[in-house]
């Protein structure tokens, strides 16, 4: 790789000056400079010498070479400019870029909708980010397994049963005299959820029914299976709509048969203790969970740097979300033995995952060399900066949000008088949502601005799609072309440099577990392509040599946009 070649030249030159050190070369954003090396600062610090002198010494000793021109910029940067030959080599590296197969197996857990409850926008980011990371891991050569991990074993399905029972239809649904569908569930759940806060007996009944199906009591267990089947079907439709797909459609319920086993592991290893009738595992490390002095004896105990013990068994014996997760790690290791398990959820679950991971490491449920990662994402806010809510303060349904974005896209397509079908509308709306979601730093909240995100101009998904469509159309008019790397203008070079940066962004995204760098690089590529396209006529180019150079750029740009969009799960339409 050409970057490594520059590193090698710098290291060798440093050696002739009697200096050992690691010289790292990165892409530069400075004008008139393609790469730069910032290592002189740290190396000089170690050697207690002057960084500028060091840089000048090293650059002064560089022997003539074919690919680069080195120079020093104050305070102590080494600037690297590609020669024509260097640029051609970079272009051929872009064409031949391959990511080697890795031996690690990454298991990725995202989406996580709760059956019985309609999905809301809180689930959107997990689907978007998780799907893109899964595709990134695959692109980089990892073996990947994905699991949606449904919340299918808790109260919501018990609440639905209690509501149907109260309305006198439960028996009929159980006996299939009435046929169950998603509308019945979508209607029953909100009613039940409201009633449980007002009617204690109803809440207790729902809890009882939950316990009954968890204990596999018939006919409730069989009916639970029916409820699950109906809602899984609905969830799969929504996933299709969002271009998210999974290897495993498992959930909390698949862990239930391992719950006793894992609880026993904690008991046998003496890692669990009883607390107020529940079983808990201490997971705090030194410096955490430090009791604060009480002002009066009956004040609740507060802690500095809190890391509460993890509850693994409730007093009523019902199963817990955390224990389901631990049992899931247990059976994932038994069946798949992954090197990494990566979870994507709302940032508010961070502490909970720290507790779970520590508990699993303590008990040996996760082997020492296995990595457990959790990425917590920020919330999607409205323009007022507060969590995106409906007018009456409720959660915005995922389907409602998609509808809203699709309606906006439809408006724009009508303005542009484009012929379109429903699928085009869906694809553009998806790209607006996904690009907006993924271009933001994962951990941060962001404002969901439909107008801005659906715009066909600026840093948006539709703009990227539009750029790709435009290239397709030009290419179809240019016809046959021969690969030609004899680039001769600054605009052409800028396109090549942004192609290289885009390819470079995948590894960075892997380290950061965030796609924002890929989105930025993709946008820069589209922008630089546009500058090149506006400056140089392509279709009417008469010079065959120049025409082949330009069409090479078209082809390379299209390939790389397509492959980046494939990672982001953004589809490119034929035209728009
Ligand atoms: N069902 C959960 C929720 O809606 C998300 C599941 C996340 N994954 C996990 N393994 N816990 O909050």
């Amino acid at each position: 790789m050409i970057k490594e070649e520059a590193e090698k030249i710098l290291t060798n030159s440093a050696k002739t000056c009697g200096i050992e050190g690691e010289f790292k070369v990165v892409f530069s954003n400075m004008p008139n400079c393609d790469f730069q090396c910032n290592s002189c600062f740290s190396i000089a610090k170690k050697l207690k010498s002057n960084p500028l002198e060091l840089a000048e010494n090293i650059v002064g000793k560089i022997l003539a070479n074919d690919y680069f021109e080195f120079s020093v910029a104050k305070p102590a940067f080494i600037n690297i400019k590609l020669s024509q030959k260097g640029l051609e080599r970079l272009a051929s590296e872009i064409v031949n870029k391959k990511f080697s197969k890795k031996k690690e197996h990454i298991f990725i857990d995202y989406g996580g909708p709760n059956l019985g409850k309609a999905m809301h926008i809180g689930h959107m980011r997990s689907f978007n980010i998780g799907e893109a990371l899964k595709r990134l891991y695959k692109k980089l050569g990892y073996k990947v397994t994905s699991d949606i991990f449904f919340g299918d074993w808790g109260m919501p399905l018990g609440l639905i049963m209690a509501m149907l029972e109260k309305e006198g239809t439960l028996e009929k649904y159980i006996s299939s005299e009435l046929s169950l569908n998603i509308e019945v569930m979508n209607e029953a759940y909100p009613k039940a959820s409201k009633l449980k806060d007002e009617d204690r007996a109803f809440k207790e009944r729902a809890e009882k029914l939950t316990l009954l199906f968890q204990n596999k009591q018939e006919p409730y267990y069989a009916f639970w299976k029916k409820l699950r089947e109906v809602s899984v079907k609905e969830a799969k439709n929504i996933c299709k709509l969002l271009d998210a797909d999974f290897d495993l459609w498992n959930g909390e319920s698949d862990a239930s048969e391992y719950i006793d086993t894992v609880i026993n592991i904690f008991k046998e290893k003496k890692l669990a203790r009883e607390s107020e009738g529940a079983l808990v595992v201490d997971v705090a490390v030194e410096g955490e969970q430090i009791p604060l002095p009480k002002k009066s004896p009956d004040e609740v105990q507060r802690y500095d740097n809190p890391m509460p013990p993890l509850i693994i068994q409730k007093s009523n014996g019902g199963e817990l979300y955390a224990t389901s997760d631990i049992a899931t790690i247990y059976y994932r290791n038994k069946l798949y033995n992954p090197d990494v398990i990566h979870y994507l959820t709302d940032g508010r679950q961070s502490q909970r995952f720290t507790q779970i991971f520590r508990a699993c490491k303590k008990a040996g449920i996760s082997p020492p060399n296995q990595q457990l990662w959790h990425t917590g994402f920020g919330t999607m806010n409205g323009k007022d900066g507060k969590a995106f809510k409906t007018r009456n303060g409720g959660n915005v349904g995922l389907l409602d949000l998609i509808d809203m974005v699709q309606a906006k896209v439809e408006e724009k397509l009508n303005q542009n008088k484009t012929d379109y079908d429903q699928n085009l509308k869906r694809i553009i709306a998806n790209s607006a949502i996904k690009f907006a979601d993924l271009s933001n730093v994962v951990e941060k909240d962001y404002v969901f601005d439909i107008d801005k995100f659906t715009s066909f101009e600026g840093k948006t998904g539709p703009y990227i799609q539009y750029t790709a469509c435009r290239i397709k159309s030009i290419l179809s008019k240019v016809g046959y072309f021969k690969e030609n790397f004899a680039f001769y203008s600054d605009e052409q070079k800028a396109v090549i440099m942004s192609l290289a940066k885009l390819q470079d962004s995948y590894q960075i995204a892997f380290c950061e577990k965030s796609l924002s760098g890929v989105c930025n690089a993709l946008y820069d590529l589209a922008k630089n392509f546009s500058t090149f396209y506006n400056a140089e006529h392509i279709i009417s180019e008469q010079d065959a040599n120049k025409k082949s150079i330009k069409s090479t750029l078209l082809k390379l740009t299209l390939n790389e946009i397509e492959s980046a969009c494939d990672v982001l799960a953004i589809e490119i339409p034929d035209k728009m």
Side-chain angles (χ1 to χ4, degrees), residues 155 203-213:
M155 267 279 266
K203 186 177 171 213
E204 280 170 8
R205 182 61 189 154
E207 279 166 352
K208 175 82 193 168
L209 287 166
T210 305
L211 215 52
L212 287 174
F213 75 69

Side-chain angles (χ1 to χ4, degrees), residues 109 112-114 123 149 151 252 321 325 343-345 349 352-353:
D109 174 320
N114 298 317
H123 293 106
F149 198 74
E252 293 167 12
Y321 177 32
D325 259 321
Y343 297 85
L344 278 302
T345 72
Q349 292 196 32
R352 162 176 192 279
F353 277 101

Side-chain angles (χ1 to χ4, degrees), residues 111-179:
N114 298 317
L115 298 187
K117 296 199 224 178
M119 281 189 222
H120 58 80
I121 58 164
H123 293 106
M124 174 92 102
R125 295 206 77 189
S126 185
F127 278 115
N128 291 341
I129 300 166
E131 181 67 25
L133 284 173
K134 177 189 82 182
R135 291 169 181 229
L136 176 75
Y137 296 157
K138 285 192 182 165
K139 184 180 180 75
L140 292 176
Y142 291 95
K143 177 175 175 206
V144 186
T145 305
S146 56
D147 184 359
I148 191 167
F149 198 74
F150 285 117
D152 59 358
W153 205 229
M155 267 279 266
L157 297 180
L159 279 166
I160 292 177
M161 281 186 205
M163 197 68 222
L164 299 180
E165 187 178 64
K166 194 175 168 70
E167 289 176 344
T169 49
L170 183 63
E171 298 256 302
K172 294 193 179 115
Y173 283 115
I174 288 179
S175 67
S176 297
E177 194 183 322
L178 283 173
S179 84

Side-chain angles (χ1 to χ4, degrees), residues 21 27 29 58 62 76 80 170 189 210 251-252 260 280 303 354 373 407 423 445 513 528 534 543:
F27 284 98
N29 291 322
I58 293 169
I62 291 173
I80 305 162
L170 183 63
Y189 179 75
T210 305
E252 293 167 12
D260 290 342
V280 304
Y303 296 90
T354 305
W373 298 340
N423 199 42
D445 298 348
K513 313 287 173 293
N528 283 333
N534 293 333
D543 181 315

Side-chain angles (χ1 to χ4, degrees), residues 115-117 157 160 164 180-190 226-228 230-231:
L115 298 187
K117 296 199 224 178
L157 297 180
I160 292 177
L164 299 180
L180 188 71
N181 56 42
I182 194 73
E183 284 75 32
V184 173
M185 296 175 66
N186 285 347
E187 211 174 285
Y189 179 75
K226 245 191 207 172
L227 289 171
R228 189 185 195 280
V230 171
S231 31

